[in-house]
Amino acid sequence: MNTDTLEKSSPASSITQAAAGALVAAVHVAAARIGFTAAVAVTDPGGHLKAFDRADGVPFLAAEVAVDKAWTAASFHTPTHVWNDYLAEPRVAPLAGHPRLMAVGGGYPITDNGRCVGGLGISGGTYEQDQQAAVEALAALGFELPAR
């Protein structure tokens, strides 16, 4: 094996702390406009928490759900709402038992220049409200939106 041409690592892209904080703020603005309060989690591409906030009055379970939505979205670079269809496939269904997999709308990969730089998870509204706030916040900051 020729090690002169072997790539040993790849450049890691990750959401910045400033962008993560701005995304949390943008979600709270969108959620207020939509009519709910939220727990918001932003992870790096490895699923590690980068920023988090839970609005006053949001149930404490929503905090864990938001983090798991962000983790799930970052894990497969896929919005969480599509996991319901995935889990209907018998060969994928065993993943439903994973304690962090969250197959509920409101989690999106954070994509910049075609690369997943993190995950966004929102919990506190209906799954439709969580999804809407996520899409609005990602768009407001110029992040790419998934096709689904």
Side-chain angles (χ1 to χ4, degrees):
M1 176 195 273
N2 183 352
T3 59
D4 292 336
T5 60
L6 177 67
E7 288 190 43
K8 298 177 199 75
S9 63
S10 63
S13 297
S14 183
I15 189 166
T16 65
Q17 185 64 41
L23 195 51
V24 169
V27 167
H28 284 308
V29 168
R33 190 194 61 69
I34 296 165
F36 74 103
T37 55
V40 185
V42 177
T43 67
D44 67 15
H48 303 285
L49 195 59
K50 189 83 175 196
F52 175 81
D53 187 60
R54 179 170 63 102
D56 292 339
V58 174
F60 65 86
L61 179 58
E64 185 174 326
V65 170
V67 172
D68 288 347
K69 285 180 182 183
W71 181 88
T72 301
S75 293
F76 287 92
H77 307 177
T78 304
T80 55
H81 64 272
V82 302
W83 274 95
N84 281 308
D85 290 338
Y86 291 166
L87 294 175
E89 165 60 44
R91 292 184 180 145
V92 178
L95 286 175
H98 191 286
R100 294 203 62 190
L101 184 72
M102 190 55 61
V104 178
Y108 283 85
I110 303 168
T111 306
D112 188 41
N113 293 319
R115 296 191 70 157
C116 180
V117 297
L120 171 64
I122 301 169
S123 184
T126 65
Y127 73 90
E128 294 101 339
Q129 290 173 321
D130 292 348
Q131 284 179 230
Q132 184 179 353
V135 167
E136 287 183 22
L138 289 167
L141 291 176
F143 288 109
E144 298 161 26
L145 298 173
R148 331 176 219 198

